[in-house]
Amino acid sequence: MITLTLDDIPNILMYSTPLILGAMGGVISERCGVVNIGIDGMMCMGAFTAATAGYFLANPWLGLLFGGLAGGLIALLHAIACVTFNADQTISGTALNLIGPGLALFISRLVFAGSTQTLTVSRKMPKIFSQEVSGIFRQINIDVTSLIALIIVILFWFVLYKTKWGLRIRAVGEHPAAAETLGINVRVLRYACVIMSGFFAGIGGGCVTLSTVSCFSPTSISGQGFIALAAVIFGKWMPHRACGACLLFGFAQILTVKLSGEKSLIPSQIIAMLPYVLTILILILFVGKSVAPKASGKPYNKNIC
Amino acid sequence: MVQMLVKTLKKPITSTFIAIFLGIFFASLILAFAGYAPFDVMKALFNGIFSKPKNIANVIIKSTPIIITGLSVAFAFKTGMFNIGAEGQFIAGSVAATITGLSLNFPPFLQIPIIILAGCLAGALLGGIIGSLKAKFGIHEVITSIMLNWIAFHLSNFVVNCAAFHKPNSSNTYTINENGFTTLFYKWKTSEEGLKFLKEHSLISEFFLKTDFNIGIFLAIILAIFISFFLFKMTKGYELRALGLNSQAAEFAGINIGRNTLYAMLIAGSISGLAGALVITGASPHNISDLSMFENNGFNGLSVALIAGSSPIGCIASGLFLGGLLYGGQFVQMQIGTPSEIINIMIGTIVFFIALAKFIPILVDKFSKHRIKSNTFNKF
């Protein structure tokens, strides 16, 4: 019999954390009207840079920061293409999904003597309590990164729905021309949001290589950016809902791990499909139609609108 | 003179070539920055593609699946949908082809069509799920596609490890029955007379004997022409394109959006499934093996379609180009030691500049207006 206990909470969160951060990146970008399917590439670059910086600087916090910056740098390309050059956002995102992993592995081979796997960092990201705690504290001893991710979700929700800037971001995502007439600089705001999107995706990648495991390899980010992207749509472009989708996904992953650990009749490959099947079923049964921010995906040209 | 230049510069194909040039240029910059001589790398790449007939044949073999998945993505683009699920549909096609190729053993003229049909149906099934969920429940095709990619991935691994198909002491299934092979002159080229003939014609020998040159590329070309014809000359194709251009207007004109969305994805899915089946029948090892990562046949199809600007005929050229880069890239690593990832960076950069390419006509417009203006001033 499979039982899920309090002990599983840290693991569920561990699986969900990179997804949550990636999804927050997706939310902020799409909310201001720029589709970002390049999350996966940004996470990959972030994961590699975080692991490398974490290895050389022997400080996971700095590593995470550098991971975020690397993701932001890749996102800057996306912003230049989509905001300044009015490029097709899907094409640009697809390009970044090729460039991100390509660049990460290329540099890895240069820095780590031809290997696509970085060396193990000496210090990983800590947990919120020290290892010696007992009782309930031991059970809820989650990664610091998980806590950070949850705080960021609350922050995102607060900023988007309770502040002036959030209103501006949402306005730009729905109707940029109207926002512009009210004196909002659409281009600057979009630049800021897209770069932030890459920054959070990069940190999300860093969580994999500094918290979950302690090095970067070509399979570190295997499509997690795409799952995050799906979570954004699943959560109807709202931070708290997207976070819920990521948690659901983490939960399904842990269930998968537990189920395949049991001696069951169902082959492990079939069990591995569970999170994906579950996502589709929940979409059909409970979520339904998703409506993107109206201007999402459309380039904005001041002179034409 | 100037006007002609402006006209050529504004053609989409010019933008594509500029994007390719810029992509190669920036990749060279990265190479130079990393301490490799860009010229040597490009030379190794070029030699890897063209130096021997064998290599050219291998490029064509490598290109075939991505041309076809490219067609699938391009077709979906034309109907207003983003088929990021080509990867999963490709896998489904290859799985179905392997299962039928192993379980049935008819004469080739029956066996091959059955395998190909099975591949198409499996791809269409996945595409159909994506299309019907979008039509019925309004679920975004990107989510379903991403989830189905992973489901197909695990399904493939499940089939590989099924006792009925798994080859003992390996990480793959048995090879499909020979009657299902679509390799050109498969029987003849290893027969006595074939070997004798090929011995006298060394060029052809390299092309056929040393590679798995197969019918795939011809099917891909026929398919590209057919899709072009379908989209631009047939009523159904027009309806589907109308959906992509302006779905509201299409609905107003009496085109059933839901049903056509389903059709579009069924077709796109079956095309990707076909690509999967043709890889199994066409090239060794003629089986599927345990996947640890996606093999990117579908994701590369995205790049193919984007570089081709979603033109079906263009997919042939861009597929061959990408196939060449991917195949030649291995030689770069073997001969110079440059990480082969530079190829992905190069392809990514090209696609990135394709995204920017829309800007070239605008730039040309601005520049030519400026010129005309200054010319008029000179007159006065």
Side-chain angles (χ1 to χ4, degrees), chain B residues 30-200:
Chain B
I30 293 173
L31 283 173
F33 196 68
Y36 297 101
F39 186 74
D40 290 350
V41 174
M42 296 302 158
K43 209 172 118 190
L45 184 62
F46 190 83
N47 283 338
I49 301 170
F50 294 107
S51 63
K52 289 178 194 157
K54 184 185 96 182
N55 294 15
I56 297 177
N58 277 329
V59 167
I60 294 173
I61 294 166
K62 181 113 189 157
S63 307
T64 308
I66 60 175
I67 292 175
I68 303 178
T69 50
L71 284 170
S72 162
V73 177
F75 179 83
F77 267 136
K78 287 277 183 206
T79 66
M81 257 169 308
F82 186 45
N83 187 17
I84 202 171
E87 185 75 35
Q89 295 147 15
F90 176 94
I91 296 173
S94 63
V95 169
T98 308
I99 293 176
T100 42
L102 277 172
S103 347
L104 304 175
N105 201 3
F106 291 118
F109 71 91
L110 263 177
Q111 178 85 349
I112 294 169
I114 290 176
I115 294 178
I116 288 178
L117 192 70
C120 289
L121 283 177
L125 177 71
L126 257 63
I129 294 175
I130 299 167
S132 60
L133 289 185
K134 176 158 181 142
K136 267 232 170 77
F137 302 100
I139 298 170
H140 206 292
E141 75 267 21
V142 168
I143 306 189
T144 349
S145 296
I146 292 168
M147 299 301 148
L148 283 173
N149 282 348
W150 283 103
I151 292 173
F153 177 92
H154 291 299
L155 180 77
S156 170
N157 283 349
F158 169 68
V159 171
V160 170
N161 289 303
C162 264
F165 308 115
H166 186 82
K167 191 177 175 185
N169 304 321
S170 74
S171 60
N172 45 265
T173 62
Y174 288 106
T175 305
I176 63 164
N177 296 322
E178 267 183 26
N179 281 345
F181 285 12
T182 55
T183 320
L184 275 182
F185 312 124
Y186 179 71
K187 287 239 168 86
W188 173 79
K189 72 183 179 186
T190 47
S191 69
E192 241 171 68
E193 52 178 330
L195 281 173
K196 200 175 153 204
F197 176 83
L198 288 173
K199 216 171 198 175
E200 287 158 17

Side-chain angles (χ1 to χ4, degrees), chain B residues 332-353:
Chain B
V332 170
Q333 181 143 8
M334 281 192 281
Q335 289 175 2
I336 305 187
T338 313
S340 61
E341 280 79 21
I342 190 67
I343 299 298
N344 284 333
I345 300 175
M346 196 191 289
I347 296 173
T349 320
I350 292 171
V351 175
F352 185 73
F353 281 109

Side-chain angles (χ1 to χ4, degrees), chain A residues 267-291:
Chain A
S268 63
Q269 296 91 355
I270 300 291
I271 297 172
M273 296 178 190
L274 182 80
Y276 312 102
V277 176
L278 202 65
T279 306
I280 294 181
L281 283 181
I282 288 181
L283 277 169
I284 297 173
L285 294 175
F286 303 111
V287 183
K289 197 170 169 58
S290 45
V291 182

Side-chain angles (χ1 to χ4, degrees), chain A residues 9-296:
Chain A
I9 291 177
N11 286 333
I12 292 174
L13 279 169
M14 186 187 78
Y15 263 107
S16 312
T17 303
L19 301 178
I20 293 175
L21 287 164
M24 289 310 111
V27 166
I28 190 84
S29 169
E30 302 219 359
R31 269 297 175 166
C32 82
V34 179
V35 166
N36 190 352
I37 70 161
I39 296 277
D40 204 64
M42 295 167 194
M43 281 178 84
C44 208
M45 198 60 201
F48 165 72
T49 313
T52 310
Y55 171 74
F56 283 112
L57 304 173
N59 183 337
W61 293 95
L62 277 178
L64 210 58
L65 179 71
F66 275 103
L69 292 177
L73 210 63
I74 299 280
L76 177 65
L77 291 176
H78 193 52
I80 293 172
C82 300
V83 183
T84 303
F85 288 94
N86 291 331
D88 186 311
Q89 300 170 2
T90 312
I91 305 183
S92 167
T94 309
L96 294 183
N97 279 336
L98 288 165
I99 295 174
L103 214 53
L105 295 176
F106 184 81
I107 302 173
S108 172
R109 282 192 201 267
L110 293 182
V111 178
F112 294 96
S115 167
T116 52
Q117 186 168 339
T118 66
L119 292 171
T120 311
V121 295
S122 52
R123 276 174 62 203
K124 280 173 73 170
M125 288 297 282
K127 304 215 171 239
I128 52 171
F129 304 117
S130 65
Q131 295 293 341
E132 287 91 55
V133 292
S134 57
I136 185 88
F137 292 111
R138 198 180 177 82
Q139 288 182 318
I140 57 163
N141 198 1
I142 60 173
D143 289 319
V144 162
T145 45
S146 303
L147 187 69
I148 295 174
L150 293 177
I151 293 172
I152 287 174
V153 173
I154 297 168
L155 206 71
F156 262 59
W157 173 82
F158 184 80
V159 169
L160 270 180
Y161 293 102
K162 303 288 169 198
T163 66
K164 186 174 75 182
W165 284 103
L167 185 62
R168 287 185 177 176
I169 291 169
R170 286 185 292 138
V172 167
E174 294 293 333
H175 202 313
E180 183 98 43
T181 57
L182 295 172
I184 300 170
N185 192 331
V186 173
R187 294 194 163 213
V188 170
L189 200 65
R190 282 193 170 175
Y191 256 94
C193 285
V194 173
I195 291 170
M196 253 199 290
S197 151
F199 181 78
F200 287 109
I203 289 184
C207 290
V208 176
T209 50
L210 288 174
S211 204
T212 313
V213 290
S214 45
C215 66
F216 170 84
S217 68
T219 50
S220 291
I221 308 291
S222 50
Q224 283 165 66
F226 287 109
I227 302 288
L229 182 71
V232 173
I233 307 174
F234 194 130
K236 299 189 174 175
W237 291 268
M238 291 179 224
H240 49 293
R241 284 191 175 202
C243 171
C246 295
L247 288 173
L248 173 82
F249 206 81
F251 169 76
Q253 280 291 1
I254 293 299
L255 209 61
T256 306
V257 172
K258 289 214 149 190
L259 278 170
S260 39
E262 298 273 313
K263 278 205 169 134
S264 65
L265 290 170
I266 319 166
S268 63
Q269 296 91 355
I270 300 291
I271 297 172
M273 296 178 190
L274 182 80
Y276 312 102
V277 176
L278 202 65
T279 306
I280 294 181
L281 283 181
I282 288 181
L283 277 169
I284 297 173
L285 294 175
F286 303 111
V287 183
K289 197 170 169 58
S290 45
V291 182
K294 216 169 195 165
S296 189

